Amino acid sequence: MTATLERPTAPVPVSKKRTVTPARIALHAFLILTCLMTLAPLLWAVYASLRTYDDTSVNGYFSIAKSLTFENFAKAWEIGDLPHFYWNTFLITVPALIITLLLSSMVAFGVSRFSFKFNLLLLMIFTAGNLLPQQVIVTPLWRLYRLIEVPEWISESGSLIDSPIGVVLIHIAFQSGFCTFVLSNYMKTIPYELTEAARVDGASVFRQYWQLTLPLCRPVLAALATLEFTWIYNDFLWALVLIQDGDKMPVTSALQNLKGTFFTDNNLIAAGSLLVALPTLVVFFVLQRQFVGGLTLGSTKG
């Protein structure tokens, strides 16, 4: 008599119905209300930008529009000279972003992959820079920039004042601390065996950094790039303090050109504000997956 072996049948998963409790209803209601409160100013700016000045002046802003038009966007683009100011912002934001991430990753690599006496102290110094309010050093920094002489091809004033390079340098100084702190914590999660294996194979320190460690940090670099681009792009303080020529100001200052002498067209300013904010929205949506992935890195590590 031969025994037959029967394949055990897999248990059929039983779907569990999620019970709806008053606490869950209250939580979802709170989240929906918070989302609407956050989006309300943006949606109202879009609505106001599509209305004409005559419509809002007669019927008021809190009224139903008689007609909607994209004329305000065309006028804001032309009157505000936005392409010129976009280029000024590009000359400040892109170099500051690239140099900040490059220098911060170098410092983070040295702090996280090598052990020396001043390892922790160096990281604390970089991080402590973020605790200093930027407004505190406005006056001494302005005087220092006046004393630093540069060639005329860099700045027509002969100093770092009225030069995009001066704004780039201050952004690098203030943003490097946060980026170094985040990158060093992430690099510490990378196994040391990878670096040791590369060292045994004869890889130099720079090759360990550039070809081994840096490619593994792409998610966190993308998340930092999104944050830093938004912060540097939206900054107006240092451009206002360090740049005196209006033609060299960033795009955030272009909204001043939309104000009239005797009256202000708020519909036109709303359209200009949306055009100014457009690059940050594009960068966020392009890097959205990497940004979310970078924020959740290490959340499951014990």
Side-chain angles (χ1 to χ4, degrees):
M1 184 176 180
T2 58
T4 59
L5 298 177
E6 296 182 356
R7 179 179 297 178
T9 58
V12 179
V14 180
S15 59
K16 296 181 179 180
K17 294 184 178 180
R18 183 174 296 178
T19 58
V20 180
T21 60
R24 182 174 296 275
I25 296 176
L27 175 62
H28 283 78
F30 172 77
L31 294 176
I32 293 174
L33 180 61
T34 304
C35 182
L36 292 177
M37 292 178 60
T38 304
L39 294 177
L42 177 61
L43 297 177
W44 191 260
V46 174
Y47 176 64
S49 65
L50 296 176
R51 303 181 64 181
T52 62
Y53 176 78
D54 295 335
D55 186 11
T56 55
S57 61
V58 173
N59 303 316
Y61 286 96
F62 297 94
S63 61
I64 299 177
K66 300 297 182 180
S67 62
L68 300 177
T69 177
F70 290 94
E71 182 182 355
N72 288 325
F73 291 94
K75 292 174 59 178
W77 183 271
E78 182 180 358
I79 297 176
D81 195 11
L82 293 185
H84 172 73
F85 289 100
Y86 275 135
W87 176 249
N88 292 343
T89 303
F90 177 84
L91 295 178
I92 295 175
T93 304
V94 174
L97 176 63
I98 295 176
I99 297 175
T100 297
L101 293 180
L102 181 63
L103 297 180
S104 301
S105 61
M106 289 181 178
V107 177
F109 175 78
V111 170
S112 61
R113 311 310 286 180
F114 298 95
S115 179
F116 49 91
K117 293 183 179 179
F118 302 101
N119 193 327
L120 182 59
L121 178 61
L122 181 62
L123 181 60
M124 292 177 59
I125 292 176
F126 271 85
T127 308
N130 293 325
L131 304 179
L132 180 67
Q134 300 183 16
Q135 293 80 0
V136 174
I137 64 172
V138 166
T139 301
L141 184 69
W142 187 86
R143 294 182 177 179
L144 178 64
Y145 271 31
R146 294 288 298 178
L147 298 176
I148 299 178
E149 297 181 358
V150 296
E152 292 186 359
W153 61 271
I154 295 179
S155 175
E156 297 178 356
S157 63
S159 64
L160 287 178
I161 294 294
D162 204 22
S163 172
I165 297 180
V167 184
V168 170
L169 292 177
I170 194 62
H171 282 309
I172 294 173
F174 269 101
Q175 303 300 334
S176 296
F178 174 75
C179 294
T180 301
F181 176 76
V182 175
L183 286 171
S184 62
N185 288 336
Y186 178 77
M187 289 182 182
K188 290 178 181 178
T189 63
I190 300 176
Y192 284 94
E193 290 77 10
L194 296 177
T195 306
E196 294 176 355
R199 188 181 299 113
V200 170
D201 291 338
S204 61
V205 175
F206 180 79
R207 191 173 182 181
Q208 297 173 28
Y209 157 75
W210 187 257
Q211 296 185 353
L212 179 63
T213 305
L214 207 59
L216 297 176
C217 297
R218 288 179 181 176
V220 68
L221 286 174
L224 286 175
T226 306
L227 290 174
E228 294 299 326
F229 179 86
T230 304
W231 293 341
I232 298 175
Y233 180 90
N234 290 328
D235 179 76
F236 183 63
L237 171 66
W238 291 115
L240 183 65
V241 173
L242 301 177
I243 296 181
Q244 299 176 348
D245 189 355
D247 291 336
K248 297 180 182 179
M249 295 290 285
V251 71
T252 50
S253 66
L255 297 178
Q256 297 290 335
N257 300 334
L258 302 179
K259 292 184 177 181
T261 305
F262 301 102
F263 74 96
T264 300
D265 188 351
N266 293 320
N267 304 85
L268 184 63
I269 294 179
S273 302
L274 293 175
L275 290 175
V276 170
L278 185 61
T280 57
L281 297 177
V282 172
V283 170
F284 175 77
F285 284 116
V286 170
L287 300 177
Q288 181 180 11
R289 180 177 300 178
Q290 291 81 0
F291 176 72
V292 176
L295 292 179
T296 57
L297 287 173
S299 60
T300 59
K301 296 183 182 294

